[in-house]
Amino acid sequence: MNKDANQTNLYSRAFSSRAMQLSSLMLASSAAFTSYGQESLQDGDGEVYELQDFTVVSTGTRTERLLIDVPIKTEVLGSDIFESAAITELGQALELLNGARTEANCQNCGTAEIQLLGLPGNYNQILVDGLPLFTGVAAVYGIDQVPTIAIDRMEIVKGGGSALYGPGAVAGVVNLIPEEPYESHTHIDSTFRSTDGESPIYQSQFASYYVNEDGSFKASLYGLYSDQNEYDRDGDGFTEMVERENRVIGTNLWWTPTDRTRLRGNYQYIGEERRGGDSLGKPEKFAQVAEALDTDYHWATLAWDQQLADDWSMTLSAAMVDFQRDSYYGGTGGEIIDPASDVIDYNNQTVNGGGNAETEAFFGNPTDGTGGGAYNSFGQTDTRSYIFDAKFQYDAGQVGETGEHRFVFGFQYETEAIKDDQLNAEGDFLAMLHDDSFSNLGFFLQDEWQINDRLEIVPGIRIDKANTLDNWVFSPRIAARYTASDTVTLRSNLSSGFLAPRVFDEDIHIENIGGTPRDIVNADDLKEERSYTFALGLDYSPAAFQGRLKTSVQAYYTILKDSFDLDESTLRIEGGREKIDRVNTDGSTIFGIELDAAYQFNNNWSANAGLAFSQARYDEEDADRGTDHYNKTPDWTGLVQLNYDNDDLFDAYLALKWTGEMYVDRLDSVTEPGVEKSPQFFVVDLGISKKFEFDSYDLTLRAGINNVLDAYQDDQESGFERDPGYVYGPRTPRTFILGARIDF
């Protein structure tokens, strides 16, 4: 690249790599099992230098820093890892991270959540290039909708992040950073998966990049198509995994008109249809239990990076998120109604003449929608969100005898409006279920204070005002990094976070038991949930191993005040639907420790291992549940990954993931209210791949098996009255994979 191009790339991230030409989607298959571990190079003396040390990250401080120097521990999953482990979706990627889990929450609709620090999904915030585009309602399905092929890396910061990112960043932040190119290139990738040897999943994705001659303009186009068949483990006719079709198309644009100005834009559309329950071949209203969603999800962002002076810069960002969903949550329950044999009178709203159980199950009692009924269980949800973010950075340099300072300050405003209506099968309006709005204004200030070459302290504070709260919320944070030697780095962090009352993802009829949907409602006096986390960590790379061995230990202690929980005593029937209140409890405490190690044996072999302990407990035992344990949060998890990388022969990948015992809520559909204790699970994944290099393109062929030992829940409830939330452990059973990828 010439000198002018280097100037125009002032704002190009140091981690940018590869780029592509625009191309069309192609069918093939993928499951790349190359090296999961650190990328490395070797000099003539045999020393191994870890390239990860030169990765630039931004999530922990909202400023671009070398990963090795960042004062707040930041964990990175890169695109090379996604390829090697056949990762195509966000939820799959997080399972490669020690101390992080994804957990299924519903057999009828296939929802899942990300767990960090032993806390459920609504305590985490998912960002796209620093912006919270996964809004409260949309977030519940997002982890299975976003393709990884256009993502350069994921940055994960555990612990309270509200001092920088506002409400929701309680247990941590997951930031998705798009791939920015420096040359034109294309990836085309396709995967065939066979779940338990019987339920196929077809998936193809592509990402294509263009860079003009001087590098001032860059563009990407990416897309995904996925078709997943339903899976019924116990053969009762009700799904354990839903039928799902997903379509994604998106683009990123970068324009650097001068060496001080840069504009960035992103648009993405997600279209998805999913359905679970029974009788998937029939219209939803004739199933005993059906949950069906047809989603259109758009977002658009625009960012302006400006170097105001040598020591001043700013970034102004704006985003719009539009989320529309047609839904069905209901069914006929214990009555089986067949339109081919039963007489259904839609004008008089009767089945077989009326006055019977079939009529009540289908049309409700009364028939105006307030009495339930499969015919009246359709819905329409519309949300619109706007996000505005302003960040200013001042490099003050040396300030007297105090050391060097870099100040970051700004504000963020978010607003979301949600409307959720109940409809009948003809699309007629029956009732308004939600007509709510949420807005939050936050101001933040941070000082990156480099006291000397070895010690850095980063204090920060943010104040927020949400429309659902009477008072401002203060979220302070202080972090420190001390480089004790060339091989030892210490980090500590005292952070805070908060969760404001709003309409969350799981509030919109997330459960459907016996054809009756259940809604979660915020209690009138619900106040914010607060968190305080102290973390202490050590990174150690013994000099004797010349950078081939890296170890890390991180301990954290989190206190939650006024924790959110569901009050079973408020369970009631309103308008033919179950309602239950979310209330504040006394609080909870989480203590954990994470151990990590990575070792590069030689140019071909590498290994990673991690062990995590996380004890999440409510301060008082829940009388309804009979325990103080969090739902579906194991105390122990671990992973081991072994990688073989040989361009002359083949690449291979082996992983073992361990999930310890956990307590799982089980509703009264089959048993008395209570909690079950799950077994532990050992999941083994393996795969092999081979790259063939041709003059104008590379072709990689792959094969693998995920969950070789078929570690999967073996006590699923059966029938229309089953508890769909009684699902735990690995999200998929044994799965066979074939695939291919073309790069040019």
Side-chain angles (χ1 to χ4, degrees):
M1 186 175 291
N2 59 34
K3 182 177 179 182
D4 291 338
N6 283 330
Q7 275 192 325
T8 58
N9 281 320
L10 173 67
Y11 289 102
S12 293
R13 293 180 175 83
F15 49 79
S16 298
S17 64
R18 303 181 293 276
M20 316 195 230
Q21 299 169 316
L22 298 179
S23 171
S24 61
L25 187 60
M26 169 182 176
L27 185 63
S29 272
S30 89
F33 297 90
T34 55
S35 171
Y36 168 85
Q38 325 284 333
E39 294 184 35
S40 64
L41 56 86
Q42 190 171 31
D43 70 358
D45 297 327
E47 282 193 336
V48 176
Y49 298 91
E50 299 299 333
L51 297 185
Q52 189 185 32
D53 292 349
F54 301 100
T55 300
V56 176
V57 295
S58 59
T59 305
T61 60
R62 290 198 67 172
T63 59
E64 293 187 348
R65 303 284 300 267
L66 288 175
L67 179 61
I68 194 173
D69 292 334
V70 72
I72 298 163
K73 183 177 180 180
T74 303
E75 298 172 87
V76 176
L77 296 173
S79 57
D80 57 330
I81 300 172
F82 306 151
E83 183 181 352
S84 66
I87 299 301
T88 56
E89 295 173 347
L90 172 62
Q92 299 169 346
L94 263 296
E95 294 181 355
L96 297 177
L97 184 68
N98 186 31
R101 301 181 61 248
T102 61
E103 182 70 47
N105 283 333
C106 180
Q107 296 167 308
N108 290 336
C109 65
T111 57
E113 66 179 10
I114 295 171
Q115 295 184 0
L116 296 176
L117 300 188
L119 290 172
N122 59 328
Y123 290 93
N124 311 314
Q125 193 166 49
I126 302 175
L127 310 173
V128 179
D129 211 6
L131 294 175
L133 303 183
F134 288 88
T135 58
V137 173
V140 68
Y141 302 106
I143 69 171
D144 290 328
Q145 294 175 331
V146 176
T148 58
I149 196 168
I151 296 174
D152 180 75
R153 69 189 187 281
M154 294 167 49
E155 298 177 8
I156 301 95
V157 176
K158 298 172 184 173
S162 290
L164 287 179
Y165 295 106
V170 173
V173 172
V174 178
N175 194 6
L176 311 181
I177 308 297
E179 179 183 349
E180 180 184 344
Y182 66 84
E183 63 182 5
S184 300
H185 68 286
T186 296
H187 313 299
I188 301 175
D189 189 285
S190 190
T191 304
F192 169 76
R193 290 180 169 86
S194 176
T195 304
D196 203 15
E198 62 182 54
S199 181
I201 303 172
Y202 304 94
Q203 187 175 73
S204 293
Q205 56 181 342
F206 76 96
S208 193
Y209 298 81
Y210 168 77
V211 181
N212 71 352
E213 185 175 351
D214 65 0
S216 62
F217 178 76
K218 306 175 182 181
S220 72
L221 179 68
Y222 59 90
L224 173 142
Y225 175 78
S226 179
D227 187 3
Q228 172 181 304
N229 282 19
E230 73 277 7
Y231 175 67
D232 179 8
R233 177 75 169 191
D234 56 6
D236 68 339
F238 293 79
T239 59
E240 268 69 58
M241 293 172 58
V242 301
E243 175 184 75
R244 181 164 68 96
E245 184 178 7
N246 187 25
R247 302 168 302 279
V248 179
I249 190 73
T251 184
N252 285 291
L253 301 173
W254 300 265
W255 182 40
T256 310
T258 73
D259 62 355
R260 288 181 173 267
T261 303
R262 185 179 220 216
L263 297 176
R264 294 177 283 122
N266 170 232
Y267 167 77
Q268 181 168 294
Y269 165 75
I270 299 172
E272 190 197 61
E273 295 152 16
R274 65 169 65 201
R275 180 175 169 184
D278 74 299
S279 304
L280 269 59
K282 299 179 180 179
E284 294 92 339
K285 60 182 179 288
F286 294 116
Q288 290 183 274
V289 174
E291 296 192 21
L293 302 169
D294 187 349
T295 301
D296 290 308
Y297 187 12
H298 304 258
W299 74 52
T301 70
L302 181 64
W304 173 25
D305 301 321
Q306 183 68 47
Q307 191 76 28
L308 302 171
D310 290 343
D311 50 4
W312 276 96
S313 64
M314 73 172 188
T315 297
L316 304 180
S317 304
M320 183 273 290
V321 180
D322 184 77
F323 180 86
Q324 299 178 17
R325 184 174 74 191
D326 295 327
S327 62
Y328 183 87
Y329 289 84
T332 61
E335 304 300 323
I336 298 177
I337 299 175
D338 186 352
S341 57
D342 293 308
V343 179
I344 303 174
D345 186 342
Y346 289 98
N347 292 325
N348 296 310
Q349 296 196 335
T350 63
V351 178
N352 297 329
N356 50 42
E358 291 95 335
T359 296
E360 185 169 338
F362 194 71
F363 288 109
N365 184 17
T367 60
D368 59 0
T370 61
Y375 183 78
N376 300 316
S377 297
F378 292 84
Q380 186 174 64
T381 304
D382 296 293
T383 74
R384 177 70 62 87
S385 300
Y386 296 97
I387 301 150
F388 301 95
D389 186 277
K391 185 194 74 171
F392 300 89
Q393 181 175 309
Y394 172 56
D395 294 306
Q398 186 74 27
V399 179
E401 300 297 323
T402 65
E404 296 182 0
H405 295 261
R406 176 162 59 179
F407 298 98
V408 179
F409 60 93
F411 70 90
Q412 186 177 80
Y413 177 73
E414 173 190 359
T415 179
E416 179 183 36
I418 176 173
K419 184 178 180 182
D420 187 39
D421 295 336
Q422 180 185 355
L423 311 174
N424 66 18
E426 302 301 320
D428 299 325
F429 174 83
L430 297 177
M432 182 176 292
L433 304 177
H434 290 90
D435 186 8
D436 299 294
S437 63
F438 174 81
S439 62
N440 185 81
L441 175 64
F443 299 89
F444 60 89
L445 171 65
Q446 175 183 271
D447 177 17
E448 297 180 35
W449 178 16
Q450 187 77 44
I451 297 176
N452 53 48
D453 291 341
R454 293 187 177 273
L455 179 62
E456 180 181 10
I457 297 176
V458 182
I461 189 170
R462 175 164 169 152
I463 57 173
D464 286 271
K465 178 62 175 69
N467 69 320
T468 55
L469 299 174
D470 294 331
N471 301 312
W472 289 80
V473 177
F474 291 83
S475 301
R477 180 179 78 171
I478 186 168
R481 175 185 58 84
Y482 178 66
T483 305
S485 67
D486 292 340
T487 61
V488 176
T489 300
L490 297 170
R491 291 181 176 86
S492 63
N493 180 21
L494 181 61
S495 60
S496 58
F498 77 100
L499 200 59
R502 66 186 297 178
V503 177
F504 295 104
D505 47 18
E506 71 270 29
D507 297 359
I508 311 274
H509 30 295
I510 195 68
E511 290 180 345
N512 181 345
I513 300 176
T516 303
R518 172 177 291 189
D519 302 333
I520 300 173
V521 180
N522 288 333
D524 292 337
D525 58 350
L526 189 68
K527 57 185 178 180
E528 79 273 10
E529 183 174 358
R530 297 302 309 266
S531 75
Y532 306 93
T533 298
F534 174 72
L536 180 64
L538 179 147
D539 296 339
Y540 176 51
S541 181
F545 290 90
Q546 299 176 318
R548 290 179 294 152
L549 174 64
K550 290 183 178 292
T551 63
S552 173
V553 58
Q554 177 91 354
Y556 55 86
Y557 184 79
T558 299
I559 298 173
L560 291 177
K561 296 293 187 182
D562 301 312
S563 298
F564 294 160
D565 199 6
L566 302 182
D567 185 356
E568 293 289 341
S569 67
T570 64
L571 185 62
R572 61 204 182 272
I573 299 291
E574 293 181 5
R577 309 171 69 89
E578 290 187 352
K579 305 284 186 178
I580 189 170
D581 287 350
R582 178 187 286 111
V583 299
N584 293 113
T585 64
D586 291 336
S588 52
T589 304
I590 300 94
F591 168 73
I593 187 167
E594 296 176 0
L595 305 172
D596 292 277
Y599 186 68
Q600 187 83 33
F601 296 96
N602 52 43
N603 287 339
N604 301 125
W605 290 94
S606 63
N608 298 71
L611 181 66
F613 171 75
S614 180
Q615 187 183 71
R617 302 289 188 270
Y618 291 103
D619 291 343
E620 292 188 2
E621 181 177 292
D622 188 328
D624 296 319
R625 301 171 65 244
T627 181
D628 60 355
H629 286 253
Y630 268 64
N631 182 37
K632 292 195 284 191
T633 55
D635 286 353
W636 289 96
T637 59
L639 58 86
V640 177
Q641 293 152 340
L642 180 65
N643 311 277
Y644 177 73
D645 186 2
N646 189 327
D647 292 340
D648 296 328
L649 294 177
F650 58 85
D651 299 338
Y653 171 87
L654 172 66
L656 169 65
K657 292 176 283 188
W658 170 50
T659 301
E661 297 174 341
M662 52 186 163
Y663 288 80
V664 184
D665 288 353
R666 192 170 191 174
L667 300 179
D668 57 354
S669 58
V670 174
T671 65
E672 292 298 319
V675 175
E676 304 286 346
K677 191 174 185 179
S678 79
Q680 58 185 342
F681 294 96
F682 293 91
V683 174
V684 178
D685 299 337
L686 58 85
I688 187 170
S689 67
K690 172 62 178 177
K691 179 183 287 188
F692 300 91
E693 297 182 357
F694 299 92
D695 292 340
S696 59
Y697 65 93
D698 294 337
L699 170 65
T700 303
L701 301 178
R702 313 172 189 122
I705 306 175
N706 286 351
N707 199 349
V708 175
L709 303 179
D710 199 28
Y712 197 70
Q713 180 182 355
D714 61 3
D715 65 339
Q716 295 94 350
E717 295 189 0
S718 300
F720 74 95
E721 287 188 311
R722 69 175 184 173
D723 174 9
Y726 184 62
V727 53
Y728 59 84
R731 294 173 59 198
T732 58
R734 183 188 295 117
T735 301
F736 301 92
I737 303 172
L738 291 174
R741 175 183 172 115
I742 294 178
D743 297 279
F744 59 91

